[in-house]
Amino acid sequence: MQADLRSSWRIGSVEIPTRLVLAPMAGVSVQAFRRQGRRYGAGLVCSEMVSCAGLQHGNERTLGYLRIACDERPLAVQIFGSEPSVMAEAARMVEDAGADIVDINFGCPVRKVTKTGAGATLLDEPGRACSIVRAVSQAVSVPITIKMRRGLEDGSRACLELGPRLVEAGASSLTLHPRSARQMYTGEADHSLTAELVERVAVPVVASGDVTSRTRARAVLATTGAEAVMVGRAAQGNPWALSEIVDERPAEPTREEVVAELILFMRETVRELGEVRATGFLKKFYGWYLGRGRFPRLFKQELVQLATLGEVEERLVAAAPGADDVLERLETELPDGEDVLLDLPISIYGGG
Ligand SMILES: Cc1cc2nc3c(=O)[nH]c(=O)nc-3n(C[C@H](O)[C@H](O)[C@H](O)COP(=O)(O)O)c2cc1C
């Protein structure tokens, strides 16, 4: 039986209103991205991976990842690391910050992370991976979830052996991106492995990888028996993909809608990261929003040359004059940013 994408499901005690999860993406999944994802139909959103060592050392930027807004919940915060005790301490900080779920990264293939024994490396170290999950689940009362790849090497089936052990150690849900770490993002996600994992565990499994449309989402749910699908790259600069998947709403927005969402995203990101960091961070989003045949390629190149975000906004509105009205409507519908931020239990200025 095919699950309705608009139906709710649960991870432990947490109710998730739709079958669509917004993927954690480093350098992308800022609060503005997550709040937008919730508005467009994601039932659960996730922070990018947060270093447990950074949290342990009170690194200011790392602590900033624990700023949570109430209108993005339910929210998972993802942590990565290799030491069970440090991961447990990080999980406590995540729970204190107001996250509904602690997600653990056993999938990151990037060398900077794997060389520290974290991320996908743990797929090859089941004993340590289980110790981490046990330590984290003893440390917090919110559900623990795991996000993993199929294994380190192409063709690996490590996830199928490891999955049930992680559940036994305390995981309440598993997300599988069935590519090997070596594959990075090449080839295709092999969701026949997702179907096998579903058969082996009694907790919800989320299918991640190459879900880009409603047709694909329904096919993956039907063929794997997964509880939900996760969408990553298809939602970059394109929240309309989410509403198409959940509600069958047309995926193609007007130019005014695109510009209005981009400007809103820019303003929220400035509030979150500050103008200096936001200016660099936002550059890749121009291509994502304005690409897909929505605006001429040269227009994006023009925007990245502009010195200030104020100038970028002006150029955007000049290119789609009706965007002002759409933006005004969007801003009145949103709860005020200052009101929705939950208090951070830890000073992000390292005790100062
Ligand atoms: C830019 C980028 C950053 C990512 N960062 C993370 C991360 O921090 N944690 C994680 O578990 N997965 C991360 N992923 C993997 C995605 O969550 C997802 O599993 C993968 O992109 C496959 O899904 P998709 O085909 O829908 O993009 C990242 C992917 C991309 C493209």
Side-chain angles (χ1 to χ4, degrees):
M1 238 250 317
Q2 171 107 53
D4 172 6
L5 278 147
R6 261 279 167 210
S7 63
S8 70
W9 57 294
R10 285 181 169 278
I11 295 179
S13 54
V14 179
E15 182 168 359
I16 299 168
T18 71
R19 305 272 165 168
L20 179 58
V21 181
L22 189 62
M25 287 184 284
V28 178
S29 300
V30 290
Q31 196 176 77
F33 184 76
R34 304 187 309 248
R35 291 176 76 195
Q36 181 187 65
R38 292 282 289 119
R39 272 193 290 127
Y40 277 82
L44 177 67
V45 296
C46 188
S47 77
E48 68 177 83
M49 55 182 196
V50 181
S51 156
C52 71
L55 290 178
Q56 184 192 29
H57 295 126
N59 179 295
E60 189 181 316
R61 198 176 270 198
T62 315
L63 289 171
Y65 290 125
L66 301 189
R67 282 189 171 279
I68 293 169
C70 27
D71 65 344
E72 57 180 316
R73 298 175 65 184
L75 162 91
V77 169
Q78 187 185 70
I79 54 175
F80 72 96
S82 60
E83 279 305 321
S85 61
V86 183
M87 287 289 271
E89 186 50 40
R92 253 180 240 120
M93 293 170 81
V94 165
E95 181 179 43
D96 286 349
D100 301 284
I101 290 170
V102 176
D103 187 64
I104 301 178
N105 181 312
F106 289 163
C108 181
V110 176
R111 179 140 172 78
K112 202 171 109 187
V113 170
T114 54
K115 76 175 184 205
T116 66
T121 311
L122 288 154
L123 297 169
D124 241 13
E125 289 203 44
R128 181 176 282 270
C130 291
S131 300
I132 290 174
V133 175
R134 257 193 307 275
V136 169
S137 61
Q138 278 160 17
V140 296
S141 54
V142 294
I144 314 300
T145 58
I146 311 295
K147 182 152 179 294
M148 57 183 176
R149 287 202 174 216
R150 65 182 296 165
L152 287 179
E153 298 300 330
D154 292 356
S156 168
R157 296 166 60 82
C159 62
L160 298 180
E161 297 300 319
L162 184 59
R165 292 181 62 181
L166 298 175
V167 172
E168 207 177 299
S172 295
S173 168
L174 304 175
T175 298
L176 180 63
H177 175 202
R179 280 187 172 89
S180 69
R182 182 181 289 279
Q183 265 183 296
M184 302 294 281
Y185 293 94
T186 61
E188 276 175 24
D190 177 2
H191 283 296
S192 68
L193 247 77
T194 314
E196 287 191 60
L197 183 64
V198 168
E199 287 299 317
R200 291 184 186 212
V201 295
V203 298
V205 170
V206 178
S208 169
D210 305 339
V211 177
T212 53
S213 65
R214 182 174 175 88
T215 308
R216 186 74 193 127
R218 290 171 69 94
V220 168
L221 287 177
T223 55
T224 62
E227 210 74 16
V229 287
M230 178 177 271
V231 174
R233 289 166 295 172
Q236 292 172 336
N238 196 27
W240 300 277
L242 304 176
S243 46
E244 191 264 338
I245 290 172
V246 177
D247 287 330
E248 228 173 336
R249 268 191 260 153
E252 230 7 90
T254 64
R255 281 161 70 106
E256 288 73 25
E257 285 168 331
V258 171
V259 164
E261 277 297 343
L262 173 54
I263 293 178
L264 181 64
F265 186 79
M266 290 165 61
R267 290 183 182 171
E268 284 195 43
T269 305
V270 167
R271 204 166 47 211
E272 190 178 345
L273 303 181
E275 176 116 14
V276 173
R277 260 178 86 198
T279 303
F281 173 86
L282 284 166
K283 286 192 172 161
K284 56 183 177 286
F285 284 87
Y286 301 151
W288 289 338
Y289 274 91
L290 306 173
R292 304 172 200 269
R294 291 170 183 158
F295 286 83
R297 192 169 302 192
L298 277 177
F299 183 49
K300 180 203 99 182
Q301 285 163 11
E302 199 186 307
L303 292 186
V304 294
Q305 311 287 335
L306 296 173
T308 66
L309 292 179
E311 288 170 80
V312 175
E313 272 199 24
E314 266 174 39
R315 263 315 272 118
L316 283 168
V317 174
D324 265 348
D325 295 335
V326 183
L327 181 61
E328 204 179 303
R329 201 179 62 235
L330 280 175
E331 288 194 316
T332 50
E333 280 166 15
L334 274 183
D336 183 14
E338 300 306 324
D339 294 340
V340 296
L341 268 189
L342 298 183
D343 274 345
L344 200 62
I346 323 115
S347 163
I348 67 160
Y349 300 106

